[in-house]
Amino acid sequence: MTRARIQSELEAHGLECEDMTAGSIKYTVARFPNEPNQIVAAIYGSIKDCASIWVKESAFQELKPELLDSHSEHTIEDVSLFRRGFQWSVHIKSPDDPLIVKVIDKAVLHGQARLNKTVKRREEDARREEARAEREAAMAERKRDWKSE
């Protein structure tokens, strides 16, 4: 029930969710549509609580002051050692936990910033490739052939 609530919140932000497994561990990743490498967050189970949301460092750092002030009773874990692309796990206590929306908002905000950088870099790479092809064509026109002269 908690995992379904988290997933519905992620989908409300326009993300697509996909169930995956790592060995016997089942989890759900949330990513931008048509961007398979732009994963924003993941939903895992929790031993002590209902579920956990795994987020990246930048989202967690923005969320950290609020966690310290008003949500210090929640379990927060460093999951960077698992090498799954996430650094922090925020455990959710119930489907009505107000922390769900806060964590997801920060994760999506920082995920969108990463996506914007990626799109900009792709556009710049395409522009550079086009300029390189034009330079190469111009050089091919100027290049002399010793057999034809």
Side-chain angles (χ1 to χ4, degrees), residues 24-96:
S24 64
I25 306 297
K26 294 179 182 171
Y27 62 101
T28 304
V29 295
R31 62 173 61 104
F32 291 105
N34 304 318
E35 293 290 339
N37 295 327
Q38 295 292 324
I39 297 175
V40 174
I43 308 166
Y44 281 81
S46 173
I47 294 173
K48 298 176 190 174
D49 298 310
C50 293
S52 64
I53 305 172
W54 289 29
V55 296
K56 298 193 180 271
E57 185 73 33
S58 59
F60 178 75
Q61 289 304 323
E62 191 169 329
L63 189 62
K64 187 176 176 181
E66 188 168 344
L67 291 171
L68 290 170
D69 289 343
S70 58
H71 299 284
S72 59
E73 74 281 355
H74 280 75
T75 303
I76 311 294
E77 285 183 286
D78 175 6
V79 293
S80 60
L81 299 175
F82 293 111
R83 314 289 273 165
R84 301 259 171 98
F86 299 100
Q87 290 74 39
W88 294 98
S89 170
V90 179
H91 293 253
I92 305 299
K93 295 185 176 293
S94 74
D96 302 323

Side-chain angles (χ1 to χ4, degrees), residues 79-133:
V79 293
S80 60
L81 299 175
F82 293 111
R83 314 289 273 165
R84 301 259 171 98
F86 299 100
Q87 290 74 39
W88 294 98
S89 170
V90 179
H91 293 253
I92 305 299
K93 295 185 176 293
S94 74
D96 302 323
D97 196 330
L99 197 54
I100 293 172
V101 175
K102 294 173 186 175
V103 172
I104 290 172
D105 285 346
K106 298 297 183 199
V108 171
L109 177 72
H110 287 271
Q112 186 65 52
R114 282 191 314 278
L115 178 61
N116 292 343
K117 285 181 187 178
T118 299
V119 168
K120 187 176 179 180
R121 187 181 67 244
R122 286 179 191 158
E123 290 170 354
E124 184 65 21
D125 289 348
R127 185 194 61 76
R128 285 183 180 152
E129 179 59 29
E130 186 178 322
R132 186 201 60 75

